[in-house]
Amino acid sequence: TPWVLGAIDEAHRIGAMTALLTCAKLPSHAVADHHILLDTGPELVTGSTRMKAGTATKITLNTITTCLFVRLGKVYQSRMIDLRATNQKLHDRCLRILHSFVPTLSRESANQILDAADGCLRTAIMMSHLDASADQARNVLEQSDWNLSEAMNFCDGHKAP
């Protein structure tokens, strides 16, 4: 739409990298640095973009964001670990994920570790792995730019700092 292309033009004008995901070819005047074309063909019902094009777009965006989360270190062993226990639902999720990494932890112990980690699941996992304080776990995580996988690999066989 003209509105989307106008936003891409403005982003490009101010020097931002731009990308556009479409199910149609770009007009010749579009300036997106990256264009992902999902050639889904015509819709079964003309005028209804919620079917093939909408589904293809949703799947593609889910794939892109999942890959980015993994690459940014927000996922460890196929579990989201960049979580903060800021409400009851997230608190319970953090406890379940922490327990999946350390099955011997009681719920009470996992809760104490998560509380000591100020609700930060990544810190709580590192604390459990190292049998260390929150400050020690944060120190190790900071050394690995908060990448849990790198921190775990670094610490295997080492004592907590």
Side-chain angles (χ1 to χ4, degrees):
T1 67
W3 185 85
V4 171
L5 292 176
I8 295 274
D9 286 344
E10 179 61 16
H12 187 74
R13 186 188 69 75
I14 63 172
M17 181 179 17
T18 57
L20 185 61
L21 173 69
T22 67
C23 295
K25 292 181 180 174
L26 270 182
S28 59
H29 67 278
V31 294
D33 297 315
H34 304 280
H35 180 218
I36 300 171
L37 172 62
L38 306 175
D39 190 2
T40 57
E43 292 290 345
L44 182 62
V45 176
T46 301
S48 177
T49 58
R50 68 181 177 83
M51 299 171 105
K52 286 196 298 183
T55 301
T57 300
K58 180 183 184 324
I59 291 168
T60 302
L61 290 174
N62 284 348
T63 301
I64 290 169
T65 57
T66 299
C67 290
L68 285 172
F69 280 14
V70 169
R71 194 152 184 195
L72 291 171
K74 297 178 179 296
V75 175
Y76 180 71
Q77 294 183 355
S78 74
R79 294 171 188 88
M80 285 293 293
I81 51 96
D82 192 19
L83 292 175
R84 281 204 167 274
T86 57
N87 61 40
Q88 190 59 46
K89 176 184 167 186
L90 291 175
H91 187 85
D92 287 342
R93 183 177 298 159
C94 286
L95 289 177
R96 286 192 310 273
I97 293 171
L98 180 57
H99 188 262
S100 74
F101 286 115
V102 190
T104 57
L105 276 180
S106 67
R107 185 167 176 91
E108 183 180 322
S109 295
N111 202 30
Q112 289 171 349
I113 292 168
L114 189 58
D115 286 345
D118 296 324
C120 177
L121 177 59
R122 193 182 321 227
T123 303
I125 293 167
M126 198 76 232
M127 289 170 65
S128 298
H129 183 72
L130 294 174
D131 192 22
S133 71
D135 286 338
Q136 290 170 318
R138 285 186 201 102
N139 183 38
V140 171
L141 285 163
E142 285 173 6
Q143 290 175 32
S144 66
D145 200 24
W146 288 86
N147 184 307
L148 184 61
S149 183
E150 287 181 24
M152 293 286 220
N153 289 336
F154 173 78
C155 289
D156 283 342
H158 294 87
K159 278 188 118 180

